[in-house]
């Protein structure tokens, strides 16, 4: 591999890991600290709302797209967004979670708006910078950045939290975000072809997606696709705190061990497509139902309760990654010609928005019914999803 291609891959890897590390850190560390600080599960559930900017970014993506064309304009958008991201993280470092929770919550949402904006520009730049034969390399940098960010932000940094503390940890992360921009600063691509004459997809195109034949069944699938798993995933960190696990142990279990569980599942995206979707989904939701009920049985049996944390990490991370692959695969089957990017993004937004709402509600369910009640509710959602797949699901046809 020549040096120019290596520099290109390093540039995009650094951009994806820069957005992933702080997100993984906040989504893993905050629920742990909040539970250790005696926050209610309902309040911890509301923490899922910090992901809202990444769900709603589809609505300001056309604005970014309209104002970018050449390499310089993309660099300006990415630099500006990442600097705002870093500054907001730096500000959070000097606030106390127990006394300034609302302020921290608002600053994190603002930082995720900046990060989502960077992702819009980075994804577009990736699409324009890699030719048809190199597309898989660009996608690999995105996947590797996400994986490494989860490993570092959700695992390694939590292991060192007790050693360096809240302030130093977040200051270091903000500096890392800035340093990750260095490869982009020196990146040059003489073969980069600016886009010309491309009209961004209008809001009308988003609206017309919902007028397709068979779209209702597809929407129900997207709403159910993460049910039966996301509620448990939202509560697994406070659940481990209540079981007596320390911050470093949770970081290892969820961040490092959980991320490594994902690696063997990478091959799943290559074996999914040739097979019948209904069979794959049926097996998946059947295993999800069994896994959720197993967590319930482990929890209600005191000798096995501590093993439920290990079981939850293996089952949850594995099932979540498989769910994402299946959702992306099924979404690919329901695209209109000429609007593939918009339709795919819109479907993933619907899936993640429904999952976020379930995750927010999971805290209230856990407060009212306890963890055992939450596991049973999630098992019920998984069974409903399985029944829907068996009775109603059909592979949609491609729309013109």
């Amino acid at each position: 591999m020549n040096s120019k291609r290596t520099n290109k891959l390093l540039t995009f890897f650094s951009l994806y890991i820069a957005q992933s590390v702080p997100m993984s850190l906040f989504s893993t560390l905050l629920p742990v600290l909040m539970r250790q600080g005696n926050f209610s599960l309902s309040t911890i559930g509301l923490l899922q709302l910090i992901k809202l900017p990444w769900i709603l970014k589809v609505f300001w993506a056309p604005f970014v797209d309209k104002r970018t064309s050449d390499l310089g304009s993309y660099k300006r958008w990415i630099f500006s967004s990442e600097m705002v991201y870093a500054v907001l993280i730096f500000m959070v470092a000097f606030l106390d979670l127990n006394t300034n929770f609302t302020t921290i919550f608002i600053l994190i949402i603002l930082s995720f708006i900046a990060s989502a904006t960077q992702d819009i520009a980075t994804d577009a730049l990736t699409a324009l910078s890699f030719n048809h034969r190199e597309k898989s390399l660009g996608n690999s940098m995105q996947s590797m950045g996400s994986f490494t960010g989860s490993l570092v932000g959700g695992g390694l940094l939590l292991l060192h939290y007790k050693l360096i503390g809240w302030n130093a940890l977040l200051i270091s992360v903000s500096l890392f975000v800035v340093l990750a921009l260095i490869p982009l600063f020196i990146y040059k691509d003489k073969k980069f072809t600016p886009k010309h004459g491309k009209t961004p997809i209008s809001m009308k195109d988003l609206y017309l997606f919902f007028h397709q034949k068979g779209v209702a069944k597809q929407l129900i699938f997207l709403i159910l696709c993460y049910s039966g798993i996301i509620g448990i995933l939202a509560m697994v960190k406070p659940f481990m705190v209540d079981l007596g696990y320390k911050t470093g142990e949770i970081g290892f279990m969820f961040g490092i061990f959980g991320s490594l569980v994902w690696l063997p599942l990478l091959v799943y995206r290559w074996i999914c497509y040739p097979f019948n979707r209904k069979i794959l989904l049926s097996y998946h939701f059947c295993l999800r139902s069994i896994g959720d009920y197993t967590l319930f049985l482990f929890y209600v049996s005191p000798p096995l309760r501590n093993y439920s944390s290990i079981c939850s990490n293996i089952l949850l991370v594995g099932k979540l990654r498989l769910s994402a692959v299946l959702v992306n695969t099924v979404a690919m089957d329901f695209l209109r010609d000429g609007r593939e990017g918009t339709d795919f993004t819109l479907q993933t937004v619907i899936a993640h928005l429904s999952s976020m709402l379930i995750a927010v509600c999971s805290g209230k369910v856990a407060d009212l019914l306890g963890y055992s009640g939450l596991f049973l509710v999630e098992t019920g959602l998984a069974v409903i999803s399985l029944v829907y797949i068996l009775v109603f699901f059909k592979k949609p046809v491609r729309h013109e």
Side-chain angles (χ1 to χ4, degrees):
M1 185 178 294
N2 59 48
S3 59
K4 289 184 178 179
R5 178 175 290 184
T6 301
N7 291 335
K8 179 189 287 189
L9 296 178
L10 176 62
T11 297
F12 286 96
F13 174 74
S14 66
L15 292 177
Y16 283 116
I17 195 176
Q19 64 185 221
S20 181
V21 168
M23 291 179 63
S24 298
L25 175 64
F26 283 130
S27 61
T28 305
L29 178 60
L30 286 179
V32 173
L33 296 181
M34 289 173 68
R35 193 57 177 169
Q36 290 175 345
N38 296 317
F39 282 77
S40 69
L41 294 176
S42 297
T43 304
I44 296 175
L46 291 174
L47 189 64
Q48 299 298 315
L49 292 173
I50 64 175
K51 301 175 183 178
L52 194 59
W54 273 75
I55 295 173
L56 299 180
K57 66 180 181 178
V58 65
F59 295 109
W60 67 86
F63 178 84
V64 177
D65 189 46
K66 187 176 181 179
R67 286 159 177 77
T68 49
S69 57
D70 58 358
L71 182 59
S73 61
Y74 280 107
K75 281 188 174 185
R76 286 191 293 272
W77 272 97
I78 294 171
F79 273 113
S80 301
S81 301
E82 282 296 271
M83 290 305 297
V84 172
Y85 193 28
V87 169
L88 290 169
I89 295 171
F90 187 82
M91 293 171 63
V92 172
F94 296 95
L95 299 174
D96 181 80
L97 184 63
N98 291 310
T99 57
N100 304 111
F101 173 75
T102 302
T103 304
I104 290 175
F105 185 80
I106 293 172
L107 288 176
I108 291 176
I109 288 182
L110 293 175
S111 72
F112 280 18
I113 291 174
S115 178
T117 304
Q118 184 258 42
D119 184 66
I120 294 169
T122 300
D123 284 346
L125 182 59
T126 303
L128 293 171
S129 298
F130 291 88
N131 60 40
H132 182 71
R133 291 178 299 175
E134 297 175 329
K135 290 295 183 185
S136 60
L137 292 175
N139 293 334
S140 296
M141 291 305 99
Q142 186 176 24
S143 298
M144 288 178 61
S146 177
F147 167 73
T148 307
S150 298
L151 184 66
V152 175
L156 295 177
L157 291 181
L158 259 69
L159 288 174
H160 294 85
Y161 173 74
K162 286 294 183 181
L163 296 176
I164 61 179
W166 172 267
N167 302 83
L169 181 64
L170 292 186
I171 290 173
S172 300
V173 170
S174 66
L175 291 176
F176 168 77
V177 170
V178 175
L179 292 175
L181 290 171
I182 293 176
L184 180 65
F185 181 77
I186 61 178
Y187 174 67
K188 296 180 180 180
D189 187 357
K190 295 181 179 179
K191 296 182 179 180
F192 182 84
T193 303
K195 60 183 182 182
H196 296 290
K198 295 184 178 180
T199 304
I201 299 297
S202 68
M203 300 305 293
K204 182 179 179 181
D205 289 285
L206 298 177
Y207 170 75
L208 290 176
F209 173 84
F210 299 98
H211 283 257
Q212 300 176 80
K213 182 181 179 181
V215 73
K217 292 182 179 180
Q218 180 76 350
L219 292 177
I220 294 174
F221 165 75
L222 294 172
I223 292 171
L224 291 175
C225 61
Y226 289 112
S227 64
I229 177 176
I230 201 69
I232 300 176
L233 186 67
M235 290 293 110
V236 68
K237 302 176 193 75
F239 171 57
M240 293 179 71
V241 172
D242 290 347
L243 287 178
Y245 284 86
K246 298 178 181 178
T247 304
E249 294 172 328
I250 295 173
F252 175 80
M253 288 289 296
F254 196 84
I256 299 177
F257 178 71
S259 296
L260 294 177
V261 168
W262 174 60
L263 283 177
L265 301 175
L266 286 173
V267 297
Y268 198 78
R269 69 175 66 235
W270 285 282
I271 68 175
C272 262
Y273 197 83
F275 293 94
N276 182 281
R277 304 287 189 271
K278 186 169 185 175
I279 293 176
L280 285 172
L281 291 168
S282 298
Y283 279 122
H284 177 67
F285 282 106
C286 181
L287 292 174
R288 182 185 293 185
S289 303
I290 295 172
D292 291 348
Y293 191 65
T294 301
L295 287 178
F296 167 75
L297 293 178
F298 273 35
Y299 182 76
V300 297
S301 176
L304 298 175
R305 185 166 293 177
N306 278 323
Y307 292 102
S308 63
S309 61
I310 301 175
C311 179
S312 65
N313 276 278
I314 296 175
L315 291 175
L316 289 175
V317 174
K319 289 189 295 182
L320 182 65
R321 298 296 184 181
L322 292 179
S323 296
V325 173
L326 287 169
V327 168
N328 290 344
T329 302
V330 174
M332 286 290 186
D333 291 334
F334 210 94
L335 305 177
R336 295 169 293 170
D337 289 334
R339 300 172 181 83
E340 291 84 357
T342 298
D343 289 353
F344 182 81
T345 302
L346 184 58
Q347 290 179 82
T348 56
V349 164
I350 292 170
H352 289 300
L353 180 60
S354 65
S355 70
M356 188 194 71
L357 294 176
I358 293 173
V360 169
C361 294
S362 66
K364 191 65 176 179
V365 172
D367 265 338
L368 293 175
L369 305 178
Y371 290 116
S372 59
L374 175 64
F375 295 155
L376 280 180
V377 169
E378 290 291 293
T379 301
L381 289 174
V383 171
I384 291 172
S385 303
L386 174 61
V387 172
Y388 176 78
I389 294 299
L390 292 173
V391 177
F392 296 106
F393 186 83
K394 295 181 180 179
K395 179 180 175 180
V397 296
R398 189 175 179 84
H399 294 262
E400 301 295 336

